[in-house]
Amino acid sequence: MEDEGKWLWKTKGFFDCFNLCYQLTLAARETLTEESLTQALTHLFRKVPPLRMRYGRRDGDTWLREMAKEIVDFEVVPETTMRDMHDKLQHRHYDTWTGPLWCARLWPRPQSSLPDDELGFDRSRYPHAYTLFFGFHHGITDGNTNMRICGFFVQLLNDVLAGKSIQDEEQLGILVSDERTKKLLEERIANMEADPEAKQRALDDYNARHTKHSMIESTFKGTGDKEGRSLVLARDVDVATTSQFVKRCRTENVTVNSAFTALANVALVDLLVEGGLQQDTYSIRGDHILNARRYWEGDASQYLGCHIVPQLAVIVPTPRDIGGKFWEYARLVHADLKQKIEAGTALQDEAVRHFMSEKTVMETIFSCEFGVTNMGDVTKLVTEGGEHVQAVHVLRSVNLDGVPATCSNLCHTFRGRFTHVLSYNTASVTSEMAEKFCDRLFNQLSSVI
């Protein structure tokens, strides 16, 4: 007899090669027990639909379906490191046919592990520090869903510690398929099929932005590891500097995302020049991961799952010497990004791939210099915490060694701090290159605010 578990919908599983790791730092009034954590995580399992998902085979197709039984994969890891946990969770093998497709690990920390600048709460009232690592299979969640899950967990843990009654029937969000995005893609594909000239323009535009080589890989050929590993380099910008940066972006009429992209382009040019690539300008291709919900009709804020558009390629010529014209350059980046986001160019690119061979798609989609995924201010999603537990810090990483990618910049702001994580593939980017890139990026940031 077939085991229980509702069948939901077919899935292609494009994101099966990616695992995500979220690192949530907590400050607690009392010592957190394994029992209280397990209780909060069990409620999380019951109240968040994606966390009850697994895969199944049906009539020769892969489907998403509900788990047959309740399983919470949680451990306390007293002796570990940040790098070790990201490495383990990025490469975790989930039992896709049984579930769960996520896990949690608690690392007790000294209070000195908390950020040095202002926290927004009385540190003496919360003397116990912990880091909770969430591992997620990218097939069931995206950044928006994961940040919300972190926030759900903080609220649930506060309620557990306060002894409140928690009703598991009340679900936090709605799990939906990618049907809305598929419909938008099908409309664009149909329009191109009906208008060959429009189709050719879309193909030409795609090919112009999807060169089949990377300047990083050609300039630093042979410097990477034979067997690449996905490593993480994380940096925070303090509250005061973050505030200055955001204010300057507003003054210059660019978004923080556009300004960061411009900083990353300038930093990469410095690295390429040092590597021996001498040009007057550099066509830096950065690929931006967008939240597909922005293109859906109506209020999509409660929709959970993996809903991203991979990925928007943006190329802006970057001069070798930016001089004192950084913000002028940043406005060019902003104008190009804004135009493409508003025009739905990422959807157009995904539709264009319908007319290309799978081999060509794979060759072009990972040929960017770097990726950018900037979630903006996530404080409301993660929450600041409550009476018993405060959420102090959050960061995220993704494994890249399962694909021919170089590196990805994962950014967001939480409790007034801008956080940047560089996930990089050592097959293309060495740790020394990663350090130099980030040094130049943040030195440039300091100099332009």
Side-chain angles (χ1 to χ4, degrees):
M1 182 176 176
E2 187 178 20
D3 61 0
E4 297 176 3
K6 181 181 176 184
W7 294 95
L8 298 174
W9 47 76
K10 290 181 189 179
T11 178
K12 287 185 177 179
F14 177 81
F15 301 104
D16 287 356
C17 53
F18 297 108
N19 281 342
L20 305 170
C21 179
Y22 277 61
Q23 177 182 318
L24 178 65
T25 302
L26 305 168
R29 288 183 64 182
E30 57 260 21
T31 302
L32 296 181
T33 65
E34 190 168 343
E35 182 184 5
S36 64
L37 268 294
T38 300
Q39 193 176 342
L41 289 166
T42 300
H43 286 301
L44 194 72
F45 176 94
R46 294 171 180 171
K47 293 173 73 67
V48 183
L51 301 185
R52 301 192 297 274
M53 295 303 104
R54 58 174 169 143
Y55 288 104
R57 296 292 292 175
R58 191 180 196 187
D59 300 327
D61 295 313
T62 300
W63 281 60
L64 203 62
R65 70 181 304 193
E66 292 180 350
M67 287 174 59
K69 56 184 177 180
E70 185 173 288
I71 306 171
V72 175
D73 183 351
F74 169 61
E75 294 175 19
V76 177
V77 284
E79 300 295 332
T80 190
T81 64
M82 172 185 159
R83 170 176 278 194
D84 187 47
M85 287 310 304
H86 280 268
D87 182 62
K88 283 182 177 177
L89 297 189
Q90 284 176 359
H91 298 96
R92 182 165 181 74
H93 175 72
Y94 293 103
D95 189 337
T96 53
W97 308 117
T98 302
L101 301 179
W102 66 285
C103 65
R105 301 290 182 264
L106 185 74
W107 182 23
R109 305 288 303 281
Q111 200 187 41
S112 59
S113 64
L114 301 181
D116 292 331
D117 62 336
E118 63 180 284
L119 294 173
F121 62 89
D122 183 355
R123 186 190 289 244
S124 66
R125 291 186 64 216
Y126 299 87
H128 305 282
Y130 301 85
T131 295
L132 186 73
F133 294 91
F134 281 111
F136 298 106
H137 185 296
H138 207 344
I140 60 166
T141 61
D142 58 14
N144 179 277
T145 296
N146 291 331
M147 288 295 185
R148 291 186 65 191
I149 287 172
C150 289
F152 297 159
F153 173 77
V154 172
Q155 294 173 49
L156 288 168
L157 184 57
N158 264 294
D159 288 347
V160 166
L161 295 174
K164 290 185 179 179
S165 174
I166 299 171
Q167 303 303 313
D168 291 330
E169 296 77 19
E170 298 173 8
Q171 298 292 287
L172 297 172
I174 306 163
L175 178 65
V176 297
S177 73
D178 59 355
E179 202 58 43
R180 292 167 179 79
T181 306
K182 277 183 180 176
K183 186 178 178 183
L184 293 170
L185 293 175
E186 286 166 0
E187 289 172 358
R188 288 179 178 258
I189 290 168
N191 290 338
M192 281 189 266
E193 287 176 333
D195 187 345
E197 290 185 5
K199 174 184 170 183
Q200 190 58 52
R201 285 196 300 272
L203 278 163
D204 291 344
D205 178 54
Y206 182 95
N207 290 328
R209 289 179 290 109
H210 291 78
T211 52
K212 295 182 182 179
H213 72 278
S214 160
M215 283 186 285
I216 291 176
E217 293 185 342
S218 58
T219 303
F220 299 97
K221 194 171 184 178
T223 60
D225 296 339
K226 190 173 182 180
E227 294 291 330
R229 292 177 61 216
S230 193
L231 297 183
V232 173
L233 184 59
R235 299 198 183 186
D236 291 318
V237 178
D238 62 63
V239 172
T241 306
T242 298
S243 178
Q244 283 180 277
F245 179 48
V246 172
K247 286 177 182 175
R248 185 65 190 267
C249 288
R250 288 174 180 160
T251 301
E252 300 291 345
N253 293 315
V254 302
T255 61
V256 169
N257 185 59
S258 296
F260 175 84
T261 302
L263 289 168
N265 287 352
V266 171
L268 182 56
V269 165
D270 286 349
L271 198 64
L272 292 171
V273 169
E274 187 175 312
L277 185 61
Q278 302 286 338
Q279 298 176 187
D280 291 334
T281 60
Y282 299 75
S283 294
I284 306 294
R285 174 184 153 194
D287 282 15
H288 297 257
I289 310 300
L290 302 183
N291 183 348
R293 297 170 186 81
R294 67 163 58 240
Y295 297 112
W296 296 356
E297 291 183 2
D299 179 12
S301 62
Q302 293 302 304
Y303 293 145
L304 305 177
C306 182
H307 301 294
I308 59 179
V309 189
Q311 49 212 37
L312 176 60
V314 176
I315 298 177
V316 180
T318 306
R320 181 164 60 185
D321 183 10
I322 202 73
K325 298 182 178 180
F326 173 78
W327 290 107
E328 184 179 314
Y329 168 71
R331 279 190 287 275
L332 293 175
V333 175
H334 176 70
D336 197 38
L337 257 174
K338 184 171 185 285
Q339 183 274 323
K340 286 181 170 59
I341 290 172
E342 290 179 351
T345 304
L347 289 171
Q348 173 186 290
D349 289 347
E350 191 70 2
V352 163
R353 292 182 188 118
H354 172 78
F355 301 100
M356 303 167 71
S357 71
E358 189 173 336
K359 181 177 182 291
T360 303
V361 169
M362 291 302 291
E363 284 177 348
T364 58
I365 201 169
F366 292 115
S367 294
C368 61
E369 304 299 340
F370 54 71
V372 178
T373 167
N374 191 338
M375 291 193 63
D377 193 331
V378 300
T379 307
K380 287 184 179 178
L381 292 179
V382 178
T383 78
E384 295 188 8
E387 184 65 21
H388 295 270
V389 176
Q390 288 282 307
V392 179
H393 186 259
V394 64
L395 60 80
R396 58 207 168 100
S397 68
V398 59
N399 71 304
L400 296 177
D401 46 20
V403 293
T406 52
C407 59
S408 188
N409 299 274
L410 298 93
C411 313
H412 60 262
T413 301
F414 179 63
R415 294 188 83 140
R417 283 184 211 86
F418 181 79
T419 294
H420 170 249
V421 173
L422 185 72
S423 282
Y424 61 98
N425 186 346
T426 63
S428 305
V429 178
T430 66
S431 293
E432 182 184 7
M433 288 165 61
E435 291 277 0
K436 285 182 177 179
F437 171 75
C438 291
D439 284 345
R440 283 160 172 72
L441 195 159
F442 286 104
N443 287 341
Q444 181 75 19
L445 186 153
S446 298
S447 71
V448 298
I449 59 175

